[in-house]
Amino acid sequence: MERGNFAGKMLHRYEQGVHRAEAGKPIVVDAVRGITSPEIATAYIMGYMNSVVKRLAEIGITQPDQIGIHESFMHIVVQDPKVEGTSGIEGLSDGMRLNVPKSDEYKHLGKSPLNHYQDGYKIGFAFALAKTRRGDFELLPAEPEISPTQKTALNTEIKEWLEGKGVTWTDAGIVLHFHPLARLSFAYYLNNGEDGFEEYSQGLSERVNKNTDYSTEQKQAILEGIERSFKFAKKVKFTGKAI
C-alpha cells in the first residue's frame, strides 16, 4: 500500500509539473526544495521539462546542440540526495523571465553542477520563444527591459504567430510596444475572437486595479491600452495588415 501511495504521489507531482509548464509559469525553486522526497521533487520537474521539450519542438528545437547544450535537455533536472542540486531550474526560471540577467554566482566553466544553471538559462529563453510563437505573452517584460538580441528573436516568433493568424503585416515589433497586459488583450482576440473577452477583460482590469505599484494615472493609461489593443487586434485580423 505504501508503495502504491508513493507512486500515486509521484504521478500527482509529475502532472502538476506538466500543468505548470502548460500554463507558462516558471518553476518556484524554493517550493521544489520544500518537497522532502528527492524522487517526488524530480518527478515534478520531469513533468515540467517534458512539457517544455514538447513546446521547443514546435519551433524546431529538437536537439540540445541547437541552443548550445551538449547534453540532453533533461540533464538540468539532476538532483542530489538533499534536493540541493537545483541550479539548473534556477537558470530555467531566470531565462524564461528575459529581464533577469544570468546570475553572477554561476560563472564557473568545466563539468560541474554550476553548468546546469547556464544550460537551464538557455532552455528557459528558448521556452520563452516557444510560448511567444503561441501568442503567450504573459511573462514578456516591458520593452525597455528586453535586450536588442532578445527582441530580435522574439520578433521572429511574433511574426510567425501573426502570420498563422492571417495577419501578414511585417512590423511584429509593434506588439512589444504595448504594455505587457495590453499584449494579452491583443493576443486574446487573435486566439479566441470576441467570445469571452468581457470576462477576460474584467480579469485584466482587476489585476491593474489591485496593483499597488501603479499610480491612478498609470492604471487609467493601462486600462485604456488594454481596450485599444483589443480594437487594434480586430482591425488587423479583419484587414490582415496594420492600416
Side-chain angles (χ1 to χ4, degrees):
M1 182 63 70
E2 287 186 7
R3 181 176 297 177
N5 287 340
F6 185 76
K9 289 179 180 179
M10 288 188 67
L11 177 60
H12 176 67
R13 285 294 190 178
Y14 180 92
E15 292 174 342
Q16 282 186 323
V18 170
H19 293 155
R20 187 164 184 86
E22 287 299 313
K25 298 178 180 179
I27 292 178
V28 179
V29 181
D30 286 343
V32 173
R33 290 192 179 121
I35 300 173
T36 56
S37 165
E39 294 85 357
I40 291 178
T42 300
Y44 174 77
I45 304 171
M46 287 294 291
Y48 190 96
M49 287 301 299
N50 275 331
S51 181
V52 168
V53 170
K54 289 179 182 178
R55 297 286 79 81
L56 297 186
E58 291 177 357
I59 61 171
I61 298 175
T62 58
Q63 300 298 324
D65 59 6
Q66 289 175 263
I67 56 174
I69 294 175
H70 302 291
E71 299 182 64
S72 74
F73 291 119
M74 293 294 183
H75 81 279
I76 68 165
V77 175
V78 174
Q79 301 291 319
D80 69 18
K82 295 182 180 179
V83 199
E84 293 173 349
T86 50
S87 63
I89 58 172
E90 287 180 35
L92 181 75
S93 294
D94 286 354
M96 285 175 63
R97 291 182 172 90
L98 300 184
N99 59 340
V100 178
K102 288 183 182 179
S103 172
D104 288 338
E105 185 180 351
Y106 302 100
K107 286 186 175 179
H108 296 71
L109 299 176
K111 292 185 178 298
S112 78
L114 300 182
N115 274 350
H116 291 174
Y117 177 89
Q118 297 179 38
D119 288 348
Y121 198 96
K122 294 174 184 175
I123 296 170
F125 178 60
F127 186 39
L129 295 180
K131 293 192 292 96
T132 301
R133 174 79 71 89
R134 303 175 106 201
D136 180 358
F137 307 132
E138 182 74 19
L139 287 180
L140 296 187
E143 187 175 19
E145 300 175 40
I146 303 173
S147 73
T149 300
Q150 291 173 331
K151 193 179 297 184
T152 298
L154 289 169
N155 282 341
T156 297
E157 301 307 329
I158 292 170
K159 184 175 184 292
E160 290 281 349
W161 173 71
L162 287 169
E163 291 178 350
K165 299 298 179 182
V167 178
T168 57
W169 52 282
T170 58
D171 187 15
I174 196 169
V175 176
L176 296 182
H177 294 342
F178 296 153
H179 185 277
L181 291 178
R183 292 179 200 142
L184 299 184
S185 173
F186 177 83
Y188 185 93
Y189 181 81
L190 292 187
N191 281 330
N192 306 286
E194 296 193 46
D195 292 345
F197 179 72
E198 184 174 349
E199 182 178 353
Y200 183 76
S201 177
Q202 287 176 351
L204 292 179
S205 298
E206 288 178 8
R207 288 176 61 175
V208 174
N209 289 323
K210 290 179 179 179
N211 193 318
T212 58
D213 292 331
Y214 297 141
S215 67
T216 301
E217 292 76 14
Q218 286 174 318
K219 288 179 180 180
Q220 184 61 35
I222 294 168
L223 292 173
E224 290 175 359
I226 289 171
E227 183 65 26
R228 283 199 305 270
S229 67
F230 181 75
K231 292 178 179 178
F232 183 66
K234 291 177 69 174
K235 178 188 293 187
V236 298
K237 180 65 174 177
F238 179 72
T239 64
K241 55 184 178 179
I243 59 173

